[in-house]
Amino acid sequence: MATLLHIDSSVFPGEASSSRSVTAAFRETWEEQHPQGTVIYRDLAANPVPHITADAWSAGYAAPSERTPEQSAAFAARVKLIEELERADAVLIGAPMYNYAIPSTLKAWLDNVLLLGRTAGETPSAQGTPVIVVASRGGSYAPGTPREGYEFVQNYLEAVFTGTLGLDLDFIVPELTMAPRNPAMSELVSLYEASRRRAFEDATTKAKELAERLAA
């Protein structure tokens, strides 16, 4: 049966987080389709991975026999994360927008799994693996909006997941999530509600479609 790598990075728990709520809906549908499958779960807010260090970085370019004990330990932590990605038949990531970018905890995970000659390069080891990213945001940064130029989440993740890791990327974008809590955005509440409904519908639909695709 298929293995799903599920990563959340929101600092907010449960239903207080739009990205966690949508990834939970995706995962629930996925598990209904794969009751005997495996889910590898990482909550990067509760259990952050180490930020990349000089030892962890340089170990990737040194022969095992030449690594210091510190390099070996740091590299072993990277390899564990890389192997989880390589084992996955599909990847689900919650990536809320904080200050126009992804959470630093998710960036740390990416820095660890990006390894030239293995996950990156001419033949990336996880190439073709489907990845669904729930890219929630408090406002809207869609084309044609006043803050279109501040969209650094989807652009960055497109470059990393598609351009570098060779993954098959798809987005779900719940937007305007601050509208119910910000009086200045009150006129946008209906648009937020529509976006939220669409995000949950997309999560269910994409989980089913992906399950069928992997089973075929």
Side-chain angles (χ1 to χ4, degrees):
M1 297 297 290
T3 295
L4 175 70
L5 173 59
H6 175 189
I7 296 172
D8 279 322
S9 61
S10 172
V11 298
F12 299 103
E15 295 182 358
S17 164
S18 293
S19 64
R20 286 182 187 271
S21 297
V22 176
T23 60
F26 183 103
R27 176 171 168 175
E28 180 180 359
T29 302
W30 172 274
E31 290 179 324
E32 289 173 355
Q33 303 296 315
H34 295 283
Q36 305 302 319
T38 300
V39 175
I40 302 169
Y41 182 60
R42 282 196 173 270
D43 185 336
L44 297 179
N47 297 290
V49 302
H51 280 79
I52 201 76
T53 63
D55 285 331
W57 185 271
S58 58
Y61 301 95
S65 62
E66 298 175 353
R67 293 172 187 155
T68 66
E70 293 77 14
Q71 285 179 316
S72 295
F75 192 67
R78 289 187 71 185
V79 168
K80 182 177 181 180
L81 299 174
I82 289 169
E83 288 177 343
E84 288 177 352
L85 174 62
E86 292 171 338
R87 283 173 51 199
D89 296 292
V91 182
L92 171 66
I93 297 178
M97 178 186 282
Y98 293 158
N99 300 317
Y100 311 118
I102 61 173
S104 64
T105 52
L106 181 55
K107 178 62 165 58
W109 179 83
L110 286 168
D111 286 340
N112 276 280
V113 300
L114 281 164
L115 180 60
L116 187 63
R118 182 164 176 174
T119 60
E122 293 185 5
T123 55
S125 56
Q127 187 170 17
T129 302
V131 54
I132 304 292
V133 174
V134 179
S136 59
R137 61 275 316 274
S140 179
Y141 303 83
T145 61
R147 292 203 169 187
E148 175 184 357
Y150 291 83
E151 202 330 289
F152 302 116
V153 171
Q154 288 178 263
N155 292 340
Y156 169 68
L157 293 180
E158 177 78 35
V160 173
F161 286 130
T162 301
T164 304
L165 294 173
L167 306 185
D168 181 7
L169 175 64
D170 198 0
F171 285 105
I172 299 173
V173 186
E175 61 180 8
L176 301 168
T177 62
M178 287 296 296
R181 298 186 292 277
N182 185 347
M185 299 174 68
S186 59
E187 63 182 21
L188 301 174
V189 169
S190 62
L191 293 177
Y192 152 73
E193 292 173 343
S195 175
R196 180 177 171 82
R197 285 194 301 271
R198 186 164 56 250
F200 280 105
E201 290 169 359
D202 284 349
T204 300
T205 300
K206 292 178 188 297
K208 289 180 179 178
E209 290 176 348
L210 189 51
E212 292 173 357
R213 171 179 158 188
L214 292 174

